Amino acid sequence: MYRILTNTVLFTLFSISLSFGQLSPGPLSQPHAELEGIRNCTLCHDLGDKVSDQKCLDCHKEIQSLQKEKRGYHANREVTSKNCFDCHSEHHGRKFDMVRFDEDNFNHLLTGYKLEGQHEVVDCRKCHKPDYIADSDLKKNTGTFLGLEQKCATCHVDYHQNTLSQDCAACHNVEAFRPAPGFDHDDADFKLRGAHENVDCAECHQVTTRKGKEFQQFTDIAFKSCVDCHDDAHEGRIFGACTQCHNENSFSNFIGTGRFDHNTTLFTLKGKHKTIDCFSCHAKRTNPLTVFHDKQGISENQCVTCHEDQHKGKYGQDCAKCHQESSFLSLKSMNFFDHNVTDYPLVGQHVSVDCKQCHKKRFSTPIDFSECKNCHEDYHRGEFTEKGRTPDCVECHSLEHGFDYSLFTLEEHQKTDFPLEGAHFATPCFACHVDEKTERWTFRNLGSDCKDCHQDIHRGHITEKYYPRQNCKSCHINEAWSEVNFDHNLTDWPLDGKHKDVTCRECHFEKSHDNTSFLQFFNSLNGKCTTCHENIHGDEFAINGETDCKRCHITESWFPESFDHSQTDFPLDGRHAEVACKACHEKTDEKGQKVVIYQIEKFACIDCHQ
């Protein structure tokens, strides 16, 4: 129906136009020639309107696809704001070129690819030709500018033949293929150092022919060893890596001291031999085939070959028997030497002492060993010196156990001015004889009073009467500090009853509020019960504001055995004398809790009996 109406309208228009000339404004260009004819007008034109951009894109899907992907010239906002026919006019004949623009002044940046360097001077058709177009359909469109990608390989041959990354711009720019200013050899596995920095690339990266084309190798080049590129000047006579002795600055620059692995030779370097300059032993020679070969056949124990014999042959030629390579003055353990042939046989701790500890000079220099102090410092600083004589250390110490072990026994301690008694027997020696400030052992002028070693915690709390001259023995004994034998009958408050079973601390000591120390009460205590005990009666039995517990209670028991009920306003007689106290004095208050009431105000029978 649509086709009939359309043909009818077109026929009508055609009839009307006969008076004005031909309906078509002119023949279509060659690419659109197949659309020629009045029946095809609506394929491009909207009826009664101009050419529709959407209809153009419906046919030119390659343009529509680029616009959707926002790529290329036709996706640029400056281009999309125009109509297709603003640039691509039609009906100008078969030979009319619809793709016409000023190539010299064309702003290539609108395509999304800025022309720089050599790309600026290249003719457009050098790049925009079918050979570089991957899409098979676009290849058929002669003269098209579509279908090119921005990758270098789109137009340029891969000189490296897939041996390097396809990101050409990482190394090259658009000014010229050589040099590659973006390449940094430090990013490669082989960093250029020293003389390598000045070597032409082609010296290492040879230019050859591969697959019929010029090719320069940049990958898979061996470089782990110097001989991969350089000739071995020593012809295999010296083992190990070249970098042990040479660096990249110059082959003649020798750095082998302390670096060359001498263990690859028959002479292993040890001690001081590791640090001396190579040419202290080897003669300097420029011939790489003879250098370092002048000491061949010398074994490690032939010291006199290089060193002067200081002993003039007295001890033989085997220097290594006594000396070490760390230093000529550094001797070995000398275990082979029999010290018993001397005037001072070694025993005990002396056996393991290094020879140089005693033999400060030569081994043949005489040593005075008549007294220990000739070699050892007097640790006691003259504490045991009497009348100018210092006893020999062997009186208390032995060579078998060393100075930390003492031969001084408990039996001998009992002969001193401070015989050990009680708990002092179990006290370790250092508890009394090591000074806390200096951490040194001391044995003189320690004192014999308790306060000389122990802190006097009672000072200022107990009067001179009971603590004469701060003599702890007034109360304490050596067996245990917690045992006190003080006679409380000497005070104004003799102990009786249950008070005899109570420890001193319960009355005389009290913890501080922060539980970190104790408060003492000796001089400040009085004989009132309420000083130590809680007054549960309050002021119920107070006389003149003071409650005297002894009116009812005794120290043997808390039960009020001294209370006489006949002295009250309600003497007990008859059956009342047999009734338990709580039957009358224990009541239940309004909260349902039981309370004790001792002073009853009403005694009528009805007050207790119903």
Side-chain angles (χ1 to χ4, degrees):
M1 184 66 176
Y2 173 75
R3 184 183 295 264
I4 296 174
L5 290 174
T6 301
N7 290 337
T8 304
V9 172
L10 289 175
F11 179 76
T12 304
L13 291 173
F14 177 73
S15 301
I16 296 173
S17 65
L18 290 176
S19 59
F20 298 95
Q22 284 187 336
L23 177 64
S24 174
L28 296 173
S29 61
Q30 185 61 41
H32 290 158
E34 62 181 12
L35 302 178
E36 194 72 71
I38 193 170
R39 294 180 178 276
N40 296 326
C41 295
T42 55
L43 295 178
C44 297
H45 297 273
D46 287 335
L47 193 61
D49 202 352
K50 59 186 178 181
V51 174
S52 169
D53 287 347
Q54 185 57 50
K55 288 188 176 183
C56 294
L57 293 175
D58 287 343
C59 281
H60 297 282
K61 296 186 181 299
E62 68 279 6
I63 302 294
Q64 187 178 34
S65 177
L66 288 171
Q67 285 186 340
K68 289 181 179 180
E69 295 175 7
K70 296 182 179 180
R71 294 194 306 123
Y73 176 76
H74 292 91
N76 188 278
R77 183 178 298 178
E78 184 176 325
V79 179
T80 57
S81 62
K82 299 178 181 181
N83 294 316
C84 298
F85 63 81
D86 289 341
C87 297
H88 304 289
S89 181
E90 253 298 2
H91 294 289
H92 300 296
R94 291 284 190 269
K95 297 183 179 181
F96 181 73
D97 187 4
M98 291 186 64
V99 183
R100 296 192 310 144
F101 60 93
D102 186 356
E103 294 185 7
D104 294 333
N105 297 313
F106 177 70
N107 184 6
H108 208 281
L109 186 61
L110 297 177
T111 67
Y113 186 81
K114 183 179 179 181
L115 295 182
E116 300 176 291
Q118 292 297 315
H119 287 161
E120 286 187 288
V121 299
V122 174
D123 182 73
C124 303
R125 296 298 173 183
K126 286 279 188 179
C127 297
H128 295 282
K129 58 183 181 180
D131 294 345
Y132 299 152
I133 299 175
D135 189 291
S136 57
D137 293 331
L138 290 177
K139 266 182 181 290
K140 300 174 183 178
N141 297 337
T142 305
T144 183
F145 288 90
L146 301 177
L148 289 188
E149 297 293 335
Q150 296 186 8
K151 296 178 181 179
C152 301
T154 301
C155 300
H156 300 280
V157 176
D158 181 9
Y159 177 81
H160 303 297
Q161 299 187 29
N162 288 322
T163 59
L164 296 178
S165 168
Q166 294 298 311
D167 184 13
C168 306
C171 299
H172 302 279
N173 59 25
V174 294
E175 300 297 334
F177 184 73
R178 291 185 178 89
F183 176 71
D184 186 355
H185 217 290
D186 281 345
D187 295 332
D189 293 334
F190 186 83
K191 313 296 188 284
L192 295 184
R193 300 289 184 269
H196 284 149
E197 294 180 349
N198 302 320
V199 175
D200 184 75
C201 304
E203 295 242 7
C204 299
H205 302 283
Q206 296 183 358
V207 179
T208 60
T209 300
R210 180 178 178 181
K211 296 180 182 179
K213 297 180 180 179
E214 182 183 287
F215 175 74
Q216 190 169 12
Q217 186 176 4
F218 290 97
T219 59
D220 298 328
I221 298 176
F223 60 86
K224 296 298 181 182
S225 175
C226 299
V227 295
D228 290 332
C229 295
H230 302 277
D231 293 333
D232 181 7
H234 301 293
E235 295 183 352
R237 297 179 180 226
I238 298 179
F239 301 100
C242 304
T243 53
Q244 291 181 119
C245 300
H246 304 281
N247 60 23
E248 294 167 307
N249 294 323
S250 172
F251 183 78
S252 59
N253 187 4
F254 179 77
I255 59 169
T257 302
R259 294 164 55 90
F260 175 69
D261 185 7
H262 217 281
N263 293 337
T264 58
T265 70
L266 298 177
F267 193 97
T268 303
L269 296 186
K270 302 175 184 176
K272 286 293 185 180
H273 284 154
K274 289 183 178 180
T275 60
I276 62 173
D277 183 70
C278 301
F279 297 106
S280 296
C281 297
H282 296 283
K284 284 190 175 181
R285 297 177 180 177
T286 57
N287 185 352
L289 297 179
T290 60
V291 70
F292 300 124
H293 290 279
D294 53 332
K295 297 292 184 180
Q296 288 183 334
I298 298 176
S299 62
E300 296 180 7
N301 60 351
Q302 291 179 284
C303 304
V304 293
T305 303
C306 298
H307 301 279
E308 181 185 356
D309 181 8
Q310 298 291 330
H311 303 297
K312 309 300 180 184
K314 184 178 180 180
Y315 300 115
Q317 299 297 315
D318 190 4
C319 306
K321 185 178 180 180
C322 298
H323 298 280
Q324 300 184 58
E325 294 181 1
S326 58
S327 170
F328 184 77
L329 298 178
S330 178
L331 299 178
K332 293 183 178 180
S333 65
M334 303 292 286
N335 290 334
F336 67 91
F337 182 74
D338 185 7
H339 217 279
N340 290 328
V341 300
T342 70
D343 296 332
Y344 192 80
L346 298 182
V347 295
Q349 297 290 315
H350 282 162
V351 174
S352 59
V353 175
D354 183 66
C355 303
K356 281 296 181 182
Q357 290 288 102
C358 299
H359 297 278
K360 302 294 183 182
K361 300 179 181 179
R362 286 183 172 274
F363 289 118
S364 57
T365 303
I367 296 176
D368 182 7
F369 50 82
S370 59
E371 290 185 282
C372 300
K373 66 179 181 180
N374 292 336
C375 291
H376 301 280
E377 179 186 356
D378 180 11
Y379 177 86
H380 303 296
R381 299 178 180 177
E383 280 189 354
F384 296 105
T385 301
E386 294 183 3
K387 297 179 181 181
R389 177 186 174 277
T390 301
D392 197 358
C393 304
V394 295
E395 294 185 15
C396 294
H397 302 281
S398 71
L399 287 169
E400 283 71 24
H401 302 287
F403 284 114
D404 291 338
Y405 182 86
S406 175
L407 301 175
F408 191 77
T409 63
L410 288 174
E411 289 74 14
E412 292 180 270
H413 204 291
Q414 301 307 89
K415 300 175 184 179
T416 67
D417 295 334
F418 191 83
L420 300 179
E421 300 174 351
H424 284 154
F425 270 115
T427 303
C429 304
F430 66 81
C432 299
H433 292 287
V434 175
D435 189 330
E436 293 183 356
K437 295 181 180 179
T438 62
E439 296 185 353
R440 285 184 58 85
W441 288 81
T442 183
F443 298 90
R444 298 297 190 192
N445 303 321
L446 295 181
S448 58
D449 291 337
C450 301
K451 65 179 181 295
D452 292 329
C453 292
H454 301 282
Q455 181 184 3
D456 183 5
I457 64 172
H458 298 307
R459 187 174 185 179
H461 294 284
I462 302 178
T463 61
E464 178 71 16
K465 178 181 178 181
Y466 305 112
Y467 190 30
R469 298 181 304 280
Q470 295 175 260
N471 186 6
C472 303
K473 295 179 181 179
S474 301
C475 299
H476 300 280
I477 60 176
N478 282 325
E479 275 66 26
W481 190 256
S482 59
E483 294 186 19
V484 179
N485 61 359
F486 178 70
D487 185 3
H488 218 281
N489 292 327
L490 299 176
T491 69
D492 298 333
W493 210 77
L495 299 180
D496 56 7
K498 290 292 184 180
H499 287 155
K500 291 181 179 180
D501 301 330
V502 177
T503 63
C504 305
R505 284 183 170 273
E506 293 195 43
C507 296
H508 294 285
F509 286 85
E510 181 182 329
K511 279 189 177 181
S512 61
H513 292 297
D514 56 3
N515 290 327
T516 59
S517 60
F518 286 91
L519 304 176
Q520 299 182 54
F521 303 96
F522 288 94
N523 300 334
S524 59
L525 285 183
N526 55 46
K528 297 178 181 179
C529 300
T530 54
T531 302
C532 296
H533 300 282
E534 181 185 1
N535 181 9
I536 64 173
H537 302 303
D539 294 331
E540 193 173 359
F541 297 106
I543 299 176
N544 296 326
E546 185 173 327
T547 301
D548 184 9
C549 304
K550 292 183 289 186
R551 297 208 319 264
C552 299
H553 301 279
I554 62 175
T555 58
E556 297 294 340
S557 170
W558 193 250
F559 192 78
E561 295 185 14
S562 299
F563 178 69
D564 185 2
H565 213 287
S566 62
Q567 302 298 318
T568 66
D569 295 336
F570 191 82
L572 299 179
D573 55 8
R575 296 296 297 273
H576 282 156
E578 301 174 3
V579 177
C581 302
K582 67 178 181 180
C584 297
H585 294 282
E586 189 175 88
K587 305 292 183 182
T588 302
D589 61 11
E590 296 176 352
K591 297 180 180 179
Q593 297 179 348
K594 292 184 178 181
V595 296
V596 179
I597 300 174
Y598 291 97
Q599 293 188 359
I600 300 174
E601 298 178 355
K602 298 179 180 181
F603 315 118
C605 298
I606 194 172
D607 292 328
C608 294
H609 303 281
Q610 293 184 354

